[in-house]
Amino acid sequence: MADSIYSICNLGILDTLSENSIHEIVESYEGFCAANETLLNGAGDLSVGPQLVSNAHSLCKHGLESLLRDHFLGALEKTFEKNGALKFWRHFEDVSIGEEVFYNALEEISLEKQYQEKCLLMLVHALQTYNQRGSHDSDAISVELFAKYQLSVSSVLMATLPRKFPEILNWYFKGRLEELSTIMAGDRPPRDDEDEDDDRDDMELDEKWKVSYRSGQMEIDECYPQGRFFDNSKLVNNIGRVVHDLRSLGFTSMTEDAYASAIFLFLKAKVHDLAGDDYRISVLESIKGWIQAVPLQFLHALLAYLGDSISYESASSGLKSPLAKCPASFYPGIDTPSEGLVRWQLRLEYFAYETLQDLRIAKLFEIIVDYPDSSPAIEDLKQCLEYTGQHSKLVESFISALQYRLLTAGASTNDILHQYVSTIKALRTIDPAGVFLEAVGEPIRDYLRGRKDTIKCIVTMLTDGTGANPNVSGNTGDSLLEELNRDEESQENIAPEDDFHTDDKQAWINASRWEPDPVEADPLKGSRNRRKVDILGMIVGIIGSQDQLVNEYRVMLAEKLLNKSDYDIDSEIRTLELLKIHFGENSMQKCEIMLNDLIGSKRTNTNIKATIAQPSHTDAGSELGDNRVSMDIIDATIISSNFWPPIQEESLIVPGPIDQLLSDYAKRFNEIKTPRKLLWKKNLGTVKLELQFEDREMQFMVAPVHAAIIMQFQDQKSWTSKDLAAAIGVPIDILNRRINFWISKGILSESLGEDTDNHMFTLMEGMIDTGKNTANDGNCEDLIVGDEEGESSVASVEDQLRKEMTVYEKFILGMLTNFGSMALDRIHNTLKMFCIADPTYDKTLQQLQSFLSGLVSEEKLELRDGMYFLKK
Amino acid sequence: MAPNRAYCPIFVHCSELQGFGLGFAVAREEDESQDLAWHSVASWTWDAQDETCGICRMAFDGCCPDCKLPGDDCPLIWGSCNHAFHLHCILKWVNSQTSQAHCPMCRREWQFKG
Ligand SMILES: [Zn+2]
Ligand SMILES: [Zn+2]
Ligand SMILES: [Zn+2]
């Protein structure tokens, strides 16, 4: 403590001073102060320089160097505050200031500061010349004094800083960037008056800073060979000067913040502007181009102007940006970017990528709806995500969009499926390993599993070319399977059954209430890493088992084949070939036999009709009056029923002549194919018939039962439902349902007889209401196809399942009686455990669920919070 | 021209058609297309007493284990004892016997029914 006081106030010196010395000191000090005063306020009068120097030397001699230094710096600071800072801030007092005001203010304060620096240089010179006699390091004095001066300038400015100054800086840089952007867009030549300003400024500039700057660094104009760059370099020169001035005033970080935030805000606006709502074009390239053209040019010029040293090594080695694929051509006119510029570039790119990514993720649902038209947007998003690595953002955002927009009662199963497929197709571009896809697909799969028509829709989507994907224009008529196959042919083939244990996996997932980890880390999914996304696998994954899908397909195929009026099965054969590729030949064996039956039927049919002995007209044709009926009108599809799904057989008495023809046909078959024989399923098939009225004819394609009904009216124009039902051999309720077809077509009318159970049907006479049928009026040529109204020839998979599951019903009811309530997976596991024989429980969880929901709708069970109860 | 006749009577009185409200004309001379075409469905079955083959236990209307397609490709054959088998099954059986083959069902000497 005492030491320090001693060292600061070396009072001992005072004792040694002589009168003379004191006088000299006082004189020198006064002289120094006067010279100082004149110098600082003398408006550029440097003539007092020698006086200042000699007085300074004299004071130094007396060891008062620090005194004069402090005095000089103090004076500088006071003067700067008065002539510099306060004047400077006065320029910004107006609410709105122009660019000119800003430049003038900066120029003024910079000139002031520059002048003061000259003054300071004089003092430095004085001290240096004095110290050359001593041993002081003269450079150190200069550095120290200029540092102190710089500090005082900064602190004066900071102490008096108006609060809105950062805003003004921001405003300034924003305005310049916009100007630069407009110039780069090339649609506006630079203003003439600006050119004049620039010329003037350039001249002044050279003069102004000749002292402190090496001239070479300012020649950035040379960097821009093109006219446009020359224009904008003038603009950038202005900005550079501003930044330089601001830096020298100590606003380094404030300035950097201001232009950085201006650049980022501008970049953000530009990305929003370029991105828009059009997903059919890639915008990344234009964003990249813009970054190069505007902010990077701006920054390059700025950094070059400010003397940011060009580091040749670091730019070419370490920092590699994905944007800078070919750095040479990347910066127009710039040979090697400086390290600072590369760093800026990386920051800007990251920001642009992240901004675009966020925009696209927010609209991902719409983008996927538009897929594949929107694939440019997907490609952009992919690149963004590769750079930012923020895939989890996508997953979270997209799942919530799905839940809100798609997985609602209002969306049709078809729509959901198509969106699911589009999602897979779109996301596998972004995520070839399918890791994120797994997480995104899970909610859709879960939701679809709860819908009854899911399997049917999936099979239709896979196999039916008509409108399989409404979003694909130009590709209509291709089933999804066809499309997948095309995709696959262009890539390398993978084994279709490659570790494909969806069933087991599904059971396990449900049993352990497994929830997918939202991101990367799941080991189960890690195994897929090296495989490409298997779209079909992900679709089958919804159902849980391939067998179920194949089974459903078989039922739909049977329905289609049994309703054919010809033997044209080209598209079915193609579909089967594709299914065989994906599911294996063995799975498709039964379907193959079904198609083979059609091929065989065609051959046999021709053979029988060619070789049958035509019955005489009097035998077969008599019952249809004058109309001759020959074997020509009969065709048959002969099926190997063991390989077809269960067929719905209903009794039907077909018109006599037809029946006769069918027996003849069967007889001939038996002759040709002994010892095989035919068993007719008379309710199945299709009948094309033409109704002839006096002035018109109408053609229909109907089920045999419809034909049998209407043909009864040929001889008798009115029938009671009882009589008619007896005549065609169907139960009365079925008749009442089926006859609606003819009533709806306006061919028959229904009236209530005396007996309410016994309706009267009459062939329509006279005019018909111009109601619902007007559309068909007079269209004699058109074939009116009988709508099946849900009547099907084949038992649905659901019906089959119910039949097979009924044996377990007692068991399930018993379990629930004992346990009170059980969850689906527990019932499933218990059945698996106990029903190991006679019959073995071999159903999937989905099948069980479907059966249980049947029991719920029959009000045998209740489902609350995922638990099944006995209905009390 | 047809759709323009929205107000024309569509159906005439049946009596004017001399009692026939409907006609199912077939093969009119000027028009080859049929006005009635009945496409029916039938299943075929082997006319055998049993349902399954006594050798492979598969349905006769299916096919033997070696075949993929039923029917003509995997026919049945009857022995003189009137037992039927898949042709392929009984041939295998007969070929596997060192001496005279017997019917697997009735043990009578196997003879193809003539
Ligand atoms: Zn056999
Ligand atoms: Zn065989
Ligand atoms: Zn025998």
Side-chain angles (χ1 to χ4, degrees), chain A residues 280-299:
Chain A
R280 290 166 306 175
I281 44 164
S282 167
V283 295
L284 210 49
E285 284 308 316
S286 16
I287 292 174
K288 284 182 204 171
W290 188 82
I291 291 179
Q292 289 167 36
V294 182
L296 277 180
Q297 284 304 329
F298 169 86
L299 286 162

Side-chain angles (χ1 to χ4, degrees), chain A residues 757-787:
Chain A
D757 294 339
N758 207 4
H759 295 206
M760 180 69 85
F761 300 106
T762 310
L763 193 63
M764 285 290 277
E765 298 178 25
M767 308 235 287
I768 192 172
D769 286 344
T770 51
K772 52 188 170 181
N773 293 311
T774 42
N776 288 331
D777 277 358
N779 283 340
C780 315
E781 312 299 323
D782 283 9
L783 210 58
I784 301 169
V785 177
D787 39 353

